[in-house]
Every structure is written in C-alpha cells, then in structure tokens.
C-alpha cells in the first residue's frame, strides 16, 4: 500500500505517474512520488537534455511574463499551469506590477489542490480545475470570470501543455475558441516539444521518450514548426517569432549557447490584432 503524502487529495491515484508531478520533480520540487521520480529518471536516461529543457522552459516563462507586463498586460490565464513552484506566474507578474491578476488552470486535481493554500491570501490569483480541451469550462468558470475581464487584453499561457492534446481534438480549433473570446491586443504564449531533426524526421531518442510516456501516462504529440503556427493562426507572432526556447529574447548571448536547437522545444508569443 502506498504511503499518501499530506499534499495529495484522497481521490488521487498515486500509483501512476503524473505529468505535473514529473515536471515538478525535474524542477527540484517536492510534490512528487516514487513513481513520478522513476519515470523522470527513465526520461532523462533516454534523452539527457530533458532536465535542461524544463529549466529552459522556466526561463522562457520568466522572459515571457516580463515582456507581457512591459506591454501593459495585467491579466494572465495560465492553462496547463502544473504544480506551482518558485518563480511562477503570479510571483513574476505581481513582482513587476502588483495589480496583475493571474488564474491558473489545470486538469490535474493535485496541481489545483497544491495551489490553493499557496494562493489563499492572494486576492488577485486563484487556481481552477478545468481542461484546455473544454474552452467553455475554462472561460466561464466563476473563478476566471471573477478575476479576468475579457473586454480588456489578456495573456493566455500554454507552456509545455499542448503536446498532451491529440490531433483528434483539433488544437487549432480549440485555440480559435480562446482567440475569439479575447479582446484585441491580447496575447498567447506557447512552448511545445518538436523532437524533430533538420529533415523533419522524429529523432530516435524522442521515439524512446514517446514509448516510455505512452506506457505510463498520457501520450505525447510532438509537432513541427508549421503545425504549431497553424495552432496559433489568427494571432500575429511578435519578433523573433517561433524559435527554439533559448533564442526567444535571451537576456544575454550566454543564455543562447552554441546549440539552441538542442532544447527540442519551440517557443512563441503572438498577439491578437
């Protein structure tokens, strides 16, 4: 019988790994179990840059939030937010502008349960249990409507989340539902694994990653740059466009490194005209 940590709600199955908890472990967090840690280690063994990639995504998040606040954005809808850890959106945004409002959305009850006590004393941030694939559920959640004014620009963040949305769910159509709900001047930010080589072929170690994940939790759906641009159709990418994470508005040349493409993850920020 599994020992149940104090942070885990009774209804949560801890016998299977969770994407949110694996990500938490790779970031050095404490909201994970032995099965999550075992899967994370298998992923790192198959593709050693996995750990670096989650940190690159974290740095991308920081740069994105700073950019958006600099553009006057004070409302953030972080979909697929995962388990809150140090340097999350509300901390970053409210550190730059205390009036920023942040709603975290995740379909993992543990992510929401862990966020609730962290945000209890923050009147401008909350967490909602909902799924990106149900736009009406997200957009009309009472907690969302209480904090987000859709008549004003909003930033929708979908970082390292869309690769769990299958093609059959039509992520471009779903993103279009969110786009239609946003005021002009709003933004979407996306980061997404590609796992493809120079000729567009799926890399061998990426195939191993896919097999490991599909055997233990949700399948992965890596996509090409062209496919990602189709998902955000109707938004205009801001410079430098869709690029590998280290290339998106780096703080210094040292942040880019010699092989930015080794991150195997694309990032983009785009605005609604």
């Amino acid at each position: 019988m599994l020992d149940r940590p104090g942070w885990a709600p009774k209804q949560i199955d801890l016998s299977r790994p969770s994407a949110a908890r694996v990500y938490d472990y790779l970031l050095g967090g404490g909201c994970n179990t032995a099965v999550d840690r075992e899967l994370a280690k298998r992923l790192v063994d198959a593709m050693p840059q996995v750990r670096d990639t989650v940190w690159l995504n974290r740095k991308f998040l920081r740069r994105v939030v700073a950019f958006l606040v600099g553009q006057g954005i004070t409302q953030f809808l972080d979909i697929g937010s995962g388990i809150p850890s140090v340097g999350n959106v509300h901390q970053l945004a409210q550190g730059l502008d205390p009036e920023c409002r942040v709603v975290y959305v995740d379909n993992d009850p543990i992510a929401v349960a862990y966020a609730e006590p962290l945000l209890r004393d923050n009147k401008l941030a909350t967490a909602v249990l909902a799924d990106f694939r149900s736009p009406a559920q997200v957009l009309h959640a009472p907690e969302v409507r209480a904090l987000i004014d859709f008549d004003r620009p909003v930033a929708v963040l979908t970082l390292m989340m869309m690769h769990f949305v299958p093609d059959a769910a039509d992520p471009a159509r779903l993103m279009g539902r969110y786009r239609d709900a946003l005021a002009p001047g709003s933004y979407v930010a996306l980061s997404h694994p590609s796992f493809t080589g120079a000729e567009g072929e799926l890399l061998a170690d990426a195939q191993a990653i896919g097999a490991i994940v599909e055997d233990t939790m949700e399948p992965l759906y890596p996509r090409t740059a062209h496919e990602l641009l189709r998902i955000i159709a109707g938004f205009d990418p801001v410079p430098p466009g869709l690029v590998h994470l280290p290339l998106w508005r780096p703080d210094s040349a040292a942040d880019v490194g010699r092989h930015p493409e080794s991150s195997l993850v694309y990032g983009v920020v785009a605005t609604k005209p």
Side-chain angles (χ1 to χ4, degrees):
M1 182 175 178
L2 290 172
D3 291 331
R4 181 169 293 274
W7 46 259
K10 292 182 180 179
Q11 70 273 22
I12 301 301
D13 180 8
L14 296 182
S15 66
R16 288 175 60 82
S18 151
R21 299 195 308 264
V22 169
Y23 191 81
D24 173 75
Y25 171 73
L26 291 170
L27 284 173
C31 188
N32 49 76
T33 67
V35 293
D36 303 310
R37 295 188 286 274
E38 175 60 27
L39 175 59
K41 291 171 183 175
R42 289 176 64 193
L43 294 175
V44 172
D45 287 343
M47 183 180 282
Q49 63 265 51
V50 163
R51 193 181 298 274
D52 289 340
T53 294
V54 299
W55 279 105
L56 286 171
N57 189 64
R58 205 68 181 175
K59 293 176 181 178
F60 175 68
L61 169 66
R62 177 180 54 78
R63 298 196 303 274
V64 166
V65 171
F67 168 78
L68 292 170
V69 174
Q71 300 304 301
I73 297 295
T74 59
Q75 302 188 104
F76 293 82
L77 189 60
D78 185 1
I79 306 178
S81 53
I83 295 167
S85 56
V86 175
N88 223 296
V89 176
H90 73 281
Q91 296 168 320
L92 296 168
Q94 292 174 356
L96 296 168
D97 183 341
E99 297 304 310
C100 283
R101 298 166 178 261
V102 178
V103 179
Y104 295 108
V105 179
D106 205 284
N107 64 0
D108 186 336
I110 281 188
V112 176
Y114 200 76
E116 286 174 345
L118 181 67
L119 303 174
R120 185 171 294 130
D121 297 326
N122 192 322
K123 302 301 183 184
L124 297 181
T126 191
V128 177
L129 182 65
D131 195 308
F132 171 82
R133 291 168 288 190
S134 300
Q137 179 191 34
V138 174
L139 296 169
H140 296 288
E143 300 90 340
V144 172
R145 289 290 169 172
L147 282 184
I148 303 296
D149 178 2
F150 286 98
D151 291 328
R152 297 172 46 237
V154 178
V156 175
L157 309 181
T158 60
L159 305 190
M160 294 295 282
M161 177 278 294
M162 200 75 71
H163 57 291
F164 291 115
V165 180
D167 293 338
D170 198 349
R173 178 186 62 83
L174 293 172
M175 185 64 82
R177 294 277 301 279
Y178 291 95
R179 183 193 64 236
D180 292 345
L182 300 176
S186 294
Y187 288 83
V188 64
L190 177 148
S191 62
H192 194 297
S194 176
F195 295 165
T196 52
E199 302 301 321
E201 75 283 3
L202 188 64
L203 299 178
D205 47 3
Q207 292 176 319
I209 288 278
I212 292 170
V213 171
E214 188 167 352
D215 185 49
T216 53
M217 56 181 192
E218 308 100 312
L220 296 181
Y221 299 90
R223 295 182 169 98
T224 65
H226 175 75
E227 290 170 323
L228 296 180
L229 289 173
R230 193 178 76 82
I231 288 174
I232 61 167
F235 290 95
D236 294 336
V238 302
L242 180 73
V243 294
H244 287 101
L245 293 186
L247 295 172
W248 198 88
R249 297 176 179 256
D251 293 325
S252 70
D255 292 333
V256 175
R258 296 181 62 183
H259 299 288
E261 71 284 355
S262 67
S263 74
L264 300 178
V265 176
Y266 284 115
V268 65
V269 175
T271 185
K272 178 177 177 178

